[in-house]
Amino acid sequence: MPKRGQKLYIRQATPEDIPAINALVAKVYKDMGPYTPDQLRGQLNHYPKGHMVAIYEDTVVGYSASLRASEERALAKHNWRQITGAGYGSTDDPDGDWLYAYEVCVDPDYRGLRIGHRLYSARRKLCVDEMLKGIVFGGRLPSYGRRRKQYENVEAYCEAVRERRIRDPVMSFQLQQGFECIGVLRNYLPSDRESVGHATHMVWRNRAVESSGNKTASAPDRPANVVRLAVVQYLQRGIDSFAEFAKIVTHFVDAVADVKSDFVLFPEYFAFQLLSIEDREMSPQDSIRRLADYNEQLEELFQELAIRYNINIIAGSHPQITASGSLQNVAHVFLRDGSVHEQPKIHPTPGERYWWQIEGGDVVRAIETDSGTIGVLTCYDSEFPELGRHLVNQGAMMLFVPFSTEERNGYLRVRYSAHARAVENQVYVAIAGNVGNLPRFHNMDIHYAQSAIVTPCDFPFARDGVAADTTPNVEQIAFADLDLDALYQARQAGTVQNWKDRRHDLYEVLWRGPASED
Protein backbone atom coordinates (compact mmCIF):
# COMPACT_ATOMS: atom_id res chain seq x y z
CA MET A 1 0.00 0.00 0.00
CA PRO A 2 1.37 3.45 -0.83
CA LYS A 3 2.14 5.43 2.30
CA ARG A 4 3.82 8.59 1.08
CA GLY A 5 4.10 10.23 -2.33
CA GLN A 6 7.07 11.43 -4.35
CA LYS A 7 9.60 13.71 -2.70
CA LEU A 8 12.31 13.90 -5.37
CA TYR A 9 11.48 13.23 -9.00
CA ILE A 10 12.11 14.31 -12.59
CA ARG A 11 9.31 15.60 -14.80
CA GLN A 12 8.85 17.56 -18.01
CA ALA A 13 9.29 21.29 -17.52
CA THR A 14 6.26 23.55 -18.02
CA PRO A 15 5.91 27.31 -18.67
CA GLU A 16 4.92 27.72 -15.01
CA ASP A 17 8.44 26.58 -14.06
CA ILE A 18 10.17 29.39 -15.97
CA PRO A 19 10.67 31.78 -13.01
CA ALA A 20 12.09 28.96 -10.86
CA ILE A 21 14.37 27.75 -13.68
CA ASN A 22 15.60 31.28 -14.24
CA ALA A 23 16.41 31.71 -10.56
CA LEU A 24 18.18 28.32 -10.50
CA VAL A 25 20.37 29.13 -13.52
CA ALA A 26 21.27 32.53 -12.05
CA LYS A 27 22.30 30.83 -8.80
CA VAL A 28 24.43 28.18 -10.55
CA TYR A 29 26.10 30.40 -13.17
CA LYS A 30 26.77 33.59 -11.21
CA ASP A 31 29.41 34.85 -13.64
CA MET A 32 27.57 33.95 -16.86
CA GLY A 33 24.07 35.28 -16.31
CA PRO A 34 20.74 33.41 -16.54
CA TYR A 35 18.56 32.78 -19.55
CA THR A 36 15.93 35.38 -20.27
CA PRO A 37 12.30 34.34 -19.79
CA ASP A 38 11.91 34.55 -23.57
CA GLN A 39 14.77 32.10 -24.12
CA LEU A 40 13.29 29.63 -21.62
CA ARG A 41 9.88 29.98 -23.20
CA GLY A 42 11.42 29.19 -26.57
CA GLN A 43 13.27 26.15 -25.21
CA LEU A 44 10.12 24.64 -23.75
CA ASN A 45 7.96 25.40 -26.81
CA HIS A 46 10.32 24.09 -29.50
CA TYR A 47 10.81 20.62 -27.95
CA PRO A 48 8.78 20.17 -24.74
CA LYS A 49 9.92 16.58 -24.10
CA GLY A 50 13.57 17.61 -24.10
CA HIS A 51 13.30 19.92 -21.11
CA MET A 52 13.10 18.49 -17.61
CA VAL A 53 13.15 19.74 -14.06
CA ALA A 54 14.16 17.96 -10.87
CA ILE A 55 11.67 18.60 -8.09
CA TYR A 56 12.56 18.19 -4.42
CA GLU A 57 9.84 18.94 -1.88
CA ASP A 58 7.97 21.04 -4.48
CA THR A 59 11.08 23.10 -5.33
CA VAL A 60 12.92 23.16 -8.69
CA VAL A 61 16.46 22.02 -7.85
CA GLY A 62 17.68 20.89 -11.29
CA TYR A 63 17.10 21.66 -14.97
CA SER A 64 18.16 20.03 -18.23
CA ALA A 65 17.57 21.23 -21.79
CA SER A 66 17.88 19.24 -25.04
CA LEU A 67 16.95 19.49 -28.70
CA ARG A 68 17.06 17.12 -31.67
CA ALA A 69 19.80 17.48 -34.28
CA SER A 70 21.01 15.65 -37.35
CA GLU A 71 24.12 13.53 -37.07
CA GLU A 72 25.90 15.75 -39.54
CA ARG A 73 25.24 18.83 -37.40
CA ALA A 74 25.71 17.25 -33.95
CA LEU A 75 29.01 15.53 -34.68
CA ALA A 76 30.57 18.40 -36.67
CA LYS A 77 32.47 21.27 -35.06
CA HIS A 78 30.09 23.92 -33.73
CA ASN A 79 29.57 26.46 -30.98
CA TRP A 80 26.80 26.93 -28.43
CA ARG A 81 25.04 29.85 -30.15
CA GLN A 82 24.91 28.04 -33.49
CA ILE A 83 23.63 24.73 -32.17
CA THR A 84 21.00 26.21 -29.79
CA GLY A 85 19.78 29.18 -31.83
CA ALA A 86 21.34 31.59 -29.31
CA GLY A 87 19.77 29.74 -26.39
CA TYR A 88 16.18 29.68 -27.69
CA GLY A 89 16.27 26.03 -28.78
CA SER A 90 14.87 27.18 -32.12
CA THR A 91 17.25 24.91 -34.04
CA ASP A 92 15.37 21.77 -32.92
CA ASP A 93 15.03 19.39 -35.88
CA PRO A 94 12.02 17.03 -35.63
CA ASP A 95 13.80 14.71 -38.08
CA GLY A 96 17.08 14.81 -36.14
CA ASP A 97 18.49 11.45 -35.09
CA TRP A 98 20.58 12.67 -32.11
CA LEU A 99 19.59 14.32 -28.84
CA TYR A 100 21.69 17.43 -28.33
CA ALA A 101 21.92 18.29 -24.62
CA TYR A 102 22.83 21.93 -24.16
CA GLU A 103 22.08 22.58 -20.51
CA VAL A 104 22.13 20.78 -17.17
CA CYS A 105 22.39 22.53 -13.82
CA VAL A 106 21.81 21.53 -10.22
CA ASP A 107 21.21 23.72 -7.21
CA PRO A 108 24.49 23.58 -5.25
CA ASP A 109 22.55 23.28 -1.99
CA TYR A 110 21.18 19.89 -3.13
CA ARG A 111 24.20 18.27 -4.76
CA GLY A 112 24.29 15.44 -2.23
CA LEU A 113 21.08 13.99 -3.72
CA ARG A 114 22.60 12.77 -7.01
CA ILE A 115 20.28 14.98 -9.01
CA GLY A 116 22.76 15.12 -11.89
CA HIS A 117 22.66 11.31 -12.12
CA ARG A 118 18.86 11.42 -12.30
CA LEU A 119 18.80 14.05 -15.04
CA TYR A 120 21.31 12.09 -17.10
CA SER A 121 19.25 8.91 -16.64
CA ALA A 122 16.10 10.75 -17.71
CA ARG A 123 17.87 11.95 -20.86
CA ARG A 124 19.01 8.42 -21.70
CA LYS A 125 15.46 7.16 -21.23
CA LEU A 126 14.17 9.93 -23.52
CA CYS A 127 16.79 8.95 -26.09
CA VAL A 128 15.62 5.32 -25.97
CA ASP A 129 11.93 6.25 -26.03
CA GLU A 130 12.48 8.52 -29.07
CA MET A 131 14.66 5.87 -30.77
CA LEU A 132 17.52 8.33 -31.28
CA LYS A 133 21.09 7.29 -32.00
CA GLY A 134 22.53 8.88 -28.90
CA ILE A 135 23.25 12.05 -26.95
CA VAL A 136 25.76 14.77 -27.85
CA PHE A 137 26.78 17.93 -26.03
CA GLY A 138 29.55 20.41 -25.37
CA GLY A 139 30.77 19.83 -21.83
CA ARG A 140 32.19 22.46 -19.51
CA LEU A 141 35.76 22.32 -18.16
CA PRO A 142 35.49 24.37 -14.96
CA SER A 143 38.97 23.49 -13.67
CA TYR A 144 40.78 24.26 -16.91
CA GLY A 145 41.04 28.03 -16.39
CA ARG A 146 43.05 27.80 -13.18
CA ARG A 147 45.20 24.92 -14.50
CA ARG A 148 45.78 26.02 -18.08
CA LYS A 149 49.40 27.07 -17.47
CA GLN A 150 50.25 23.47 -16.58
CA TYR A 151 49.21 22.17 -20.04
CA GLU A 152 50.25 22.91 -23.58
CA ASN A 153 46.64 23.34 -24.71
CA VAL A 154 43.09 22.38 -23.85
CA GLU A 155 43.45 19.07 -25.68
CA ALA A 156 46.33 18.09 -23.39
CA TYR A 157 44.22 18.98 -20.35
CA CYS A 158 41.34 16.79 -21.57
CA GLU A 159 43.73 13.92 -22.18
CA ALA A 160 44.99 14.17 -18.60
CA VAL A 161 41.41 14.02 -17.31
CA ARG A 162 40.58 11.10 -19.59
CA GLU A 163 43.62 9.19 -18.31
CA ARG A 164 42.59 10.02 -14.70
CA ARG A 165 45.84 11.81 -13.97
CA ILE A 166 43.75 14.79 -12.81
CA ARG A 167 40.06 15.31 -12.08
CA ASP A 168 37.73 17.87 -13.60
CA PRO A 169 34.40 17.98 -11.70
CA VAL A 170 32.29 18.09 -14.87
CA MET A 171 34.27 16.09 -17.42
CA SER A 172 35.14 13.34 -14.91
CA PHE A 173 31.48 12.99 -13.95
CA GLN A 174 30.43 12.77 -17.59
CA LEU A 175 33.02 10.07 -18.32
CA GLN A 176 31.68 8.11 -15.33
CA GLN A 177 28.20 8.46 -16.85
CA GLY A 178 29.33 6.53 -19.94
CA PHE A 179 30.08 9.43 -22.29
CA GLU A 180 33.15 9.46 -24.52
CA CYS A 181 35.11 12.54 -25.50
CA ILE A 182 35.50 12.70 -29.29
CA GLY A 183 37.32 16.02 -29.37
CA VAL A 184 37.39 19.62 -28.18
CA LEU A 185 35.04 22.41 -29.28
CA ARG A 186 37.19 25.54 -29.18
CA ASN A 187 35.46 28.87 -28.49
CA TYR A 188 32.25 27.00 -27.76
CA LEU A 189 30.90 29.49 -25.20
CA PRO A 190 33.13 32.57 -24.71
CA SER A 191 31.21 33.69 -21.60
CA ASP A 192 32.31 30.52 -19.77
CA ARG A 193 35.48 31.96 -18.26
CA GLU A 194 36.24 28.96 -16.07
CA SER A 195 36.48 26.82 -19.23
CA VAL A 196 38.26 29.62 -21.15
CA GLY A 197 35.36 29.36 -23.59
CA HIS A 198 36.19 25.78 -24.63
CA ALA A 199 34.16 22.58 -24.27
CA THR A 200 34.56 18.85 -24.64
CA HIS A 201 32.67 17.21 -27.50
CA MET A 202 30.91 14.40 -25.62
CA VAL A 203 28.89 11.48 -27.03
CA TRP A 204 26.77 8.67 -25.58
CA ARG A 205 25.67 6.03 -28.10
CA ASN A 206 22.28 4.38 -27.68
CA ARG A 207 22.75 0.59 -27.92
CA ALA A 208 19.06 -0.21 -27.51
CA VAL A 209 17.05 1.93 -29.91
CA GLU A 210 14.54 -0.89 -30.40
CA SER A 211 14.06 -1.77 -26.72
CA SER A 212 10.52 -2.88 -25.89
CA GLY A 213 8.41 -3.34 -22.79
CA ASN A 214 8.94 -1.43 -19.54
CA LYS A 215 11.74 1.03 -20.14
CA THR A 216 13.92 1.83 -17.17
CA ALA A 217 16.03 4.77 -16.07
CA SER A 218 19.07 2.77 -17.12
CA ALA A 219 22.61 3.29 -15.94
CA PRO A 220 25.27 4.10 -18.54
CA ASP A 221 26.97 0.70 -18.25
CA ARG A 222 23.99 -1.38 -19.37
CA PRO A 223 21.09 -1.23 -21.84
CA ALA A 224 17.60 -0.02 -21.05
CA ASN A 225 15.42 -2.80 -19.65
CA VAL A 226 18.34 -4.34 -17.77
CA VAL A 227 18.06 -3.72 -14.03
CA ARG A 228 20.71 -4.35 -11.41
CA LEU A 229 19.67 -6.01 -8.15
CA ALA A 230 21.61 -6.35 -4.91
CA VAL A 231 20.70 -8.53 -1.94
CA VAL A 232 22.29 -7.99 1.48
CA GLN A 233 22.91 -11.04 3.66
CA TYR A 234 22.91 -9.18 6.96
CA LEU A 235 24.84 -10.12 10.11
CA GLN A 236 22.94 -9.85 13.38
CA ARG A 237 25.23 -8.57 16.14
CA GLY A 238 25.01 -6.39 19.22
CA ILE A 239 25.25 -2.62 18.75
CA ASP A 240 25.43 0.37 21.11
CA SER A 241 23.24 2.99 19.40
CA PHE A 242 20.85 3.75 16.54
CA ALA A 243 23.67 5.77 14.99
CA GLU A 244 25.80 2.62 14.84
CA PHE A 245 22.94 0.76 13.11
CA ALA A 246 22.54 3.64 10.64
CA LYS A 247 26.28 3.57 9.89
CA ILE A 248 26.17 -0.16 9.05
CA VAL A 249 23.12 0.23 6.83
CA THR A 250 24.58 3.29 5.08
CA HIS A 251 27.73 1.30 4.32
CA PHE A 252 25.70 -1.32 2.44
CA VAL A 253 23.59 1.24 0.58
CA ASP A 254 26.70 3.20 -0.40
CA ALA A 255 28.41 0.02 -1.63
CA VAL A 256 25.55 -1.07 -3.89
CA ALA A 257 24.91 2.48 -5.12
CA ASP A 258 28.57 2.76 -6.19
CA VAL A 259 27.95 0.03 -8.76
CA LYS A 260 24.72 1.73 -9.86
CA SER A 261 22.27 -0.85 -8.52
CA ASP A 262 18.59 -0.11 -9.11
CA PHE A 263 17.37 -2.10 -6.09
CA VAL A 264 18.77 -3.34 -2.80
CA LEU A 265 16.96 -5.88 -0.61
CA PHE A 266 17.47 -6.24 3.16
CA PRO A 267 16.15 -9.18 5.26
CA GLU A 268 13.02 -9.61 7.33
CA TYR A 269 13.30 -8.23 10.88
CA PHE A 270 16.92 -7.21 10.22
CA ALA A 271 16.57 -4.17 12.52
CA PHE A 272 15.90 -6.51 15.47
CA GLN A 273 19.49 -5.88 16.58
CA LEU A 274 18.34 -2.42 17.78
CA LEU A 275 17.07 -4.15 20.92
CA SER A 276 20.64 -4.98 21.88
CA ILE A 277 21.14 -1.26 22.60
CA GLU A 278 19.18 -1.69 25.84
CA ASP A 279 21.34 -4.63 26.94
CA ARG A 280 18.59 -6.40 28.89
CA GLU A 281 16.34 -9.37 28.49
CA MET A 282 12.72 -8.71 27.57
CA SER A 283 9.68 -10.91 27.16
CA PRO A 284 8.77 -11.72 23.55
CA GLN A 285 5.73 -9.40 23.70
CA ASP A 286 7.72 -6.51 25.22
CA SER A 287 10.59 -6.91 22.76
CA ILE A 288 8.44 -6.87 19.62
CA ARG A 289 6.47 -3.81 20.75
CA ARG A 290 9.66 -2.02 21.80
CA LEU A 291 11.05 -2.70 18.33
CA ALA A 292 7.93 -1.14 16.79
CA ASP A 293 8.87 2.11 18.55
CA TYR A 294 11.75 2.52 16.07
CA ASN A 295 9.46 2.75 13.04
CA GLU A 296 9.63 6.51 12.63
CA GLN A 297 13.44 6.61 12.90
CA LEU A 298 13.78 3.74 10.42
CA GLU A 299 11.50 5.40 7.89
CA GLU A 300 13.41 8.67 8.10
CA LEU A 301 16.72 6.83 7.69
CA PHE A 302 15.72 4.74 4.67
CA GLN A 303 13.83 7.47 2.86
CA GLU A 304 16.85 9.74 3.17
CA LEU A 305 19.19 6.98 1.95
CA ALA A 306 16.98 6.11 -1.04
CA ILE A 307 16.96 9.73 -2.17
CA ARG A 308 20.59 10.54 -1.42
CA TYR A 309 22.00 7.40 -3.04
CA ASN A 310 19.49 7.28 -5.91
CA ILE A 311 18.43 3.68 -5.28
CA ASN A 312 15.21 1.81 -4.56
CA ILE A 313 15.41 0.14 -1.13
CA ILE A 314 13.33 -2.80 0.04
CA ALA A 315 14.10 -2.29 3.71
CA GLY A 316 13.21 -5.76 4.92
CA SER A 317 10.27 -5.85 7.32
CA HIS A 318 9.53 -4.43 10.74
CA PRO A 319 6.78 -4.82 13.36
CA GLN A 320 4.19 -2.08 13.16
CA ILE A 321 1.28 -1.20 15.44
CA THR A 322 -1.96 -0.71 13.49
CA ALA A 323 -4.66 1.86 14.17
CA SER A 324 -6.58 -0.79 16.13
CA GLY A 325 -3.56 -1.50 18.34
CA SER A 326 -2.70 -4.89 16.83
CA LEU A 327 0.73 -5.82 15.46
CA GLN A 328 1.62 -6.59 11.86
CA ASN A 329 4.92 -7.50 10.20
CA VAL A 330 5.22 -4.86 7.47
CA ALA A 331 7.70 -4.64 4.62
CA HIS A 332 8.65 -1.10 3.58
CA VAL A 333 9.74 -0.04 0.10
CA PHE A 334 11.53 3.30 -0.26
CA LEU A 335 11.79 4.47 -3.86
CA ARG A 336 14.49 6.86 -5.01
CA ASP A 337 11.90 9.52 -5.79
CA GLY A 338 11.12 9.67 -2.06
CA SER A 339 7.83 7.78 -2.16
CA VAL A 340 7.19 5.10 0.47
CA HIS A 341 5.11 1.91 0.13
CA GLU A 342 4.04 -0.70 2.67
CA GLN A 343 3.29 -4.40 2.21
CA PRO A 344 2.03 -6.28 5.30
CA LYS A 345 2.90 -9.92 5.70
CA ILE A 346 -0.25 -11.92 4.95
CA HIS A 347 0.70 -15.16 6.70
CA PRO A 348 2.48 -14.82 10.06
CA THR A 349 4.29 -18.02 10.98
CA PRO A 350 3.04 -20.08 13.94
CA GLY A 351 5.97 -18.71 15.96
CA GLU A 352 5.09 -15.09 15.12
CA ARG A 353 1.48 -15.66 16.12
CA TYR A 354 2.33 -17.47 19.37
CA TRP A 355 5.28 -15.47 20.70
CA TRP A 356 4.57 -11.98 19.31
CA GLN A 357 0.82 -12.02 18.52
CA ILE A 358 1.53 -10.84 14.97
CA GLU A 359 -1.60 -10.61 12.82
CA GLY A 360 -1.74 -10.97 9.05
CA GLY A 361 -2.55 -8.20 6.61
CA ASP A 362 -5.19 -8.43 3.89
CA VAL A 363 -3.82 -6.54 0.85
CA VAL A 364 -1.18 -7.61 -1.69
CA ARG A 365 -0.31 -4.86 -4.13
CA ALA A 366 2.22 -4.53 -6.97
CA ILE A 367 4.41 -1.43 -6.80
CA GLU A 368 5.36 0.67 -9.82
CA THR A 369 9.00 1.78 -9.88
CA ASP A 370 11.22 3.52 -12.40
CA SER A 371 12.86 0.14 -13.08
CA GLY A 372 9.83 -2.06 -13.56
CA THR A 373 6.89 -3.32 -11.53
CA ILE A 374 7.71 -5.26 -8.35
CA GLY A 375 6.03 -7.14 -5.53
CA VAL A 376 7.08 -8.07 -1.99
CA LEU A 377 6.38 -11.41 -0.28
CA THR A 378 7.80 -11.53 3.23
CA CYS A 379 9.33 -14.91 4.13
CA TYR A 380 6.42 -17.34 4.79
CA ASP A 381 4.26 -15.52 2.20
CA SER A 382 6.59 -16.78 -0.54
CA GLU A 383 5.44 -20.33 0.25
CA PHE A 384 1.87 -19.59 -0.87
CA PRO A 385 1.73 -19.66 -4.68
CA GLU A 386 -1.53 -17.70 -4.84
CA LEU A 387 0.15 -14.54 -3.54
CA GLY A 388 2.92 -14.59 -6.15
CA ARG A 389 0.39 -15.24 -8.90
CA HIS A 390 -1.78 -12.35 -7.64
CA LEU A 391 1.20 -9.97 -7.81
CA VAL A 392 2.23 -11.12 -11.27
CA ASN A 393 -1.38 -10.76 -12.41
CA GLN A 394 -0.96 -7.10 -11.46
CA GLY A 395 2.16 -6.83 -13.63
CA ALA A 396 5.02 -7.59 -11.24
CA MET A 397 8.18 -8.73 -13.06
CA MET A 398 10.36 -9.05 -9.95
CA LEU A 399 9.41 -10.44 -6.55
CA PHE A 400 11.40 -9.49 -3.46
CA VAL A 401 11.43 -11.87 -0.49
CA PRO A 402 12.96 -10.61 2.76
CA PHE A 403 13.23 -13.60 5.09
CA SER A 404 14.53 -14.66 8.49
CA THR A 405 15.05 -18.36 9.25
CA GLU A 406 16.73 -20.09 12.17
CA GLU A 407 18.02 -23.23 10.51
CA ARG A 408 18.55 -24.87 7.13
CA ASN A 409 15.14 -26.53 6.84
CA GLY A 410 13.35 -23.20 7.20
CA TYR A 411 15.73 -21.54 4.76
CA LEU A 412 15.20 -24.26 2.15
CA ARG A 413 11.44 -23.82 2.32
CA VAL A 414 11.92 -20.18 1.30
CA ARG A 415 14.60 -20.97 -1.29
CA TYR A 416 12.65 -23.72 -3.05
CA SER A 417 9.50 -21.61 -2.98
CA ALA A 418 11.38 -18.77 -4.65
CA HIS A 419 12.44 -21.09 -7.48
CA ALA A 420 8.88 -22.32 -7.85
CA ARG A 421 7.49 -18.77 -8.06
CA ALA A 422 10.13 -17.90 -10.68
CA VAL A 423 9.30 -20.93 -12.84
CA GLU A 424 5.51 -20.89 -12.60
CA ASN A 425 5.21 -17.13 -13.18
CA GLN A 426 8.30 -16.60 -15.37
CA VAL A 427 9.60 -13.78 -13.16
CA TYR A 428 12.75 -12.95 -11.22
CA VAL A 429 12.80 -13.54 -7.45
CA ALA A 430 15.32 -12.07 -4.98
CA ILE A 431 15.64 -13.38 -1.41
CA ALA A 432 17.71 -11.91 1.45
CA GLY A 433 18.15 -13.30 4.97
CA ASN A 434 19.88 -12.76 8.29
CA VAL A 435 22.99 -14.55 9.56
CA GLY A 436 24.79 -14.51 12.90
CA ASN A 437 23.44 -14.59 16.44
CA LEU A 438 21.49 -12.26 18.70
CA PRO A 439 21.39 -13.83 22.19
CA ARG A 440 18.52 -13.29 24.64
CA PHE A 441 15.88 -12.51 21.99
CA HIS A 442 13.51 -15.40 21.35
CA ASN A 443 12.87 -16.26 17.68
CA MET A 444 15.84 -14.08 16.64
CA ASP A 445 18.71 -15.66 18.57
CA ILE A 446 20.13 -17.82 15.73
CA HIS A 447 19.98 -17.52 11.95
CA TYR A 448 20.70 -19.45 8.78
CA ALA A 449 20.66 -17.97 5.27
CA GLN A 450 22.02 -18.18 1.76
CA SER A 451 20.62 -15.18 -0.07
CA ALA A 452 20.10 -15.36 -3.81
CA ILE A 453 18.61 -13.93 -7.00
CA VAL A 454 16.82 -16.64 -9.01
CA THR A 455 15.43 -16.77 -12.52
CA PRO A 456 13.14 -18.94 -14.65
CA CYS A 457 14.82 -22.08 -15.99
CA ASP A 458 15.25 -21.65 -19.73
CA PHE A 459 17.96 -20.79 -22.26
CA PRO A 460 17.94 -16.96 -21.87
CA PHE A 461 18.55 -17.20 -18.13
CA ALA A 462 21.26 -18.19 -15.70
CA ARG A 463 22.44 -21.78 -15.40
CA ASP A 464 20.46 -23.68 -12.75
CA GLY A 465 18.09 -20.71 -12.48
CA VAL A 466 20.48 -18.85 -10.16
CA ALA A 467 21.66 -15.43 -11.29
CA ALA A 468 23.62 -14.85 -8.06
CA ASP A 469 23.91 -16.22 -4.54
CA THR A 470 26.01 -15.90 -1.41
CA THR A 471 28.12 -18.14 0.80
CA PRO A 472 25.87 -19.56 3.54
CA ASN A 473 26.01 -17.80 6.91
CA VAL A 474 28.52 -15.09 5.92
CA GLU A 475 27.68 -11.38 5.76
CA GLN A 476 27.78 -10.64 2.05
CA ILE A 477 26.23 -8.82 -0.90
CA ALA A 478 25.18 -10.54 -4.13
CA PHE A 479 24.51 -8.70 -7.41
CA ALA A 480 22.84 -9.60 -10.68
CA ASP A 481 21.84 -7.82 -13.89
CA LEU A 482 18.37 -8.92 -15.00
CA ASP A 483 16.96 -8.43 -18.50
CA LEU A 484 13.23 -7.70 -18.34
CA ASP A 485 12.90 -8.26 -22.08
CA ALA A 486 14.05 -11.86 -21.57
CA LEU A 487 10.95 -12.46 -19.44
CA TYR A 488 8.64 -11.22 -22.19
CA GLN A 489 10.44 -13.37 -24.75
CA ALA A 490 10.30 -16.47 -22.54
CA ARG A 491 6.60 -16.01 -21.89
CA GLN A 492 5.84 -15.78 -25.60
CA ALA A 493 8.38 -18.14 -27.16
CA GLY A 494 10.21 -20.03 -24.43
CA THR A 495 10.83 -23.77 -24.32
CA VAL A 496 7.85 -23.82 -21.97
CA GLN A 497 5.38 -20.96 -21.59
CA ASN A 498 3.92 -21.33 -18.10
CA TRP A 499 2.42 -17.86 -18.02
CA LYS A 500 0.86 -18.06 -21.47
CA ASP A 501 -0.40 -21.64 -21.12
CA ARG A 502 -2.52 -21.15 -17.98
CA ARG A 503 -5.99 -22.70 -18.30
CA HIS A 504 -8.19 -19.73 -17.55
CA ASP A 505 -11.19 -21.88 -18.45
CA LEU A 506 -10.45 -24.15 -15.47
CA TYR A 507 -8.92 -22.06 -12.66
CA GLU A 508 -7.98 -18.59 -11.48
CA VAL A 509 -6.72 -16.69 -8.42
CA LEU A 510 -9.67 -14.75 -7.00
CA TRP A 511 -8.78 -12.13 -4.36
CA ARG A 512 -11.56 -11.86 -1.77
CA GLY A 513 -9.81 -9.34 0.48
CA PRO A 514 -10.20 -5.57 0.23
CA ALA A 515 -9.14 -3.91 -2.99
CA SER A 516 -5.67 -2.40 -3.07
CA GLU A 517 -5.56 1.36 -2.59
CA ASP A 518 -3.80 3.66 -5.04
Side-chain angles (χ1 to χ4, degrees), residues 1 30 40 44 46 56-57 72 74 85 97 124 165 167 178 183 192 204 259 324 329 403 415 424 461 472 479 495 506:
M1 294 177 287
K30 294 179 181 179
L40 291 171
L44 271 57
H46 287 299
Y56 182 69
E57 294 183 333
E72 180 181 9
D97 46 7
R124 284 190 293 270
R165 288 185 275 117
R167 186 180 185 280
D192 184 1
W204 176 79
V259 295
S324 66
N329 181 6
F403 73 92
R415 177 65 179 257
E424 68 201 15
F461 305 106
F479 299 91
T495 305
L506 297 179

Side-chain angles (χ1 to χ4, degrees), residues 10-51:
I10 308 297
R11 64 163 170 79
Q12 185 175 313
T14 68
E16 289 73 24
D17 296 318
I18 287 176
I21 296 171
N22 207 20
L24 171 67
V25 175
K27 183 177 182 180
V28 173
Y29 301 124
K30 294 179 181 179
D31 297 331
M32 296 170 59
Y35 295 106
T36 67
D38 289 344
Q39 285 176 310
L40 291 171
R41 194 173 299 111
Q43 292 175 16
L44 271 57
N45 285 332
H46 287 299
Y47 184 36
K49 288 183 181 179
H51 298 81

Side-chain angles (χ1 to χ4, degrees), residues 1 268-269 317 327-331 342-350 352-353 358-365 376-384 386-388 390-391 394 402 511-514 516:
M1 294 177 287
E268 178 185 31
Y269 289 127
S317 71
L327 272 172
Q328 289 185 342
N329 181 6
V330 180
E342 293 182 349
Q343 176 58 64
K345 190 174 184 177
I346 304 302
H347 301 95
T349 62
E352 286 178 295
R353 295 197 302 268
I358 296 288
E359 297 183 8
D362 54 14
V363 172
V364 175
R365 181 184 184 274
V376 179
L377 296 173
T378 301
C379 198
Y380 196 28
D381 281 350
S382 68
E383 300 173 29
F384 294 83
E386 297 87 354
L387 299 186
H390 186 52
L391 284 168
Q394 297 174 55
W511 190 259
R512 293 194 177 94
S516 300

Side-chain angles (χ1 to χ4, degrees), residues 322-465:
T322 69
S324 66
S326 63
L327 272 172
Q328 289 185 342
N329 181 6
V330 180
H332 290 80
V333 177
F334 299 87
L335 301 184
R336 50 185 157 198
D337 65 7
S339 58
V340 182
H341 298 261
E342 293 182 349
Q343 176 58 64
K345 190 174 184 177
I346 304 302
H347 301 95
T349 62
E352 286 178 295
R353 295 197 302 268
Y354 179 79
W355 291 107
W356 296 334
Q357 285 81 57
I358 296 288
E359 297 183 8
D362 54 14
V363 172
V364 175
R365 181 184 184 274
I367 299 169
E368 304 298 327
T369 80
D370 61 359
S371 297
T373 307
I374 69 169
V376 179
L377 296 173
T378 301
C379 198
Y380 196 28
D381 281 350
S382 68
E383 300 173 29
F384 294 83
E386 297 87 354
L387 299 186
R389 178 58 52 86
H390 186 52
L391 284 168
V392 181
N393 275 339
Q394 297 174 55
M397 305 297 284
M398 295 166 280
L399 301 179
F400 290 89
V401 180
F403 73 92
S404 183
T405 51
E406 296 179 348
E407 37 73 44
R408 192 167 182 270
N409 288 331
Y411 156 71
L412 288 176
R413 289 193 293 270
V414 175
R415 177 65 179 257
Y416 294 155
S417 295
H419 283 279
R421 303 296 84 82
V423 169
E424 68 201 15
N425 295 299
Q426 293 182 287
V427 295
Y428 299 115
V429 184
I431 65 174
N434 296 298
V435 297
N437 303 310
L438 200 62
R440 301 201 306 274
F441 296 105
H442 193 81
N443 270 16
M444 289 296 291
D445 48 351
I446 59 173
H447 303 87
Y448 184 98
Q450 184 180 13
S451 305
I453 301 168
V454 302
T455 75
C457 292
D458 209 343
F459 291 108
F461 305 106
R463 179 184 174 184
D464 302 327

Side-chain angles (χ1 to χ4, degrees), residues 1 18-19 50 84 86 109 112 130 143 189 240 280 285 415 475 487 493:
M1 294 177 287
I18 287 176
T84 68
D109 295 336
E130 298 281 276
S143 293
L189 185 61
D240 295 323
R280 64 184 176 91
Q285 294 88 347
R415 177 65 179 257
E475 187 167 57
L487 295 179

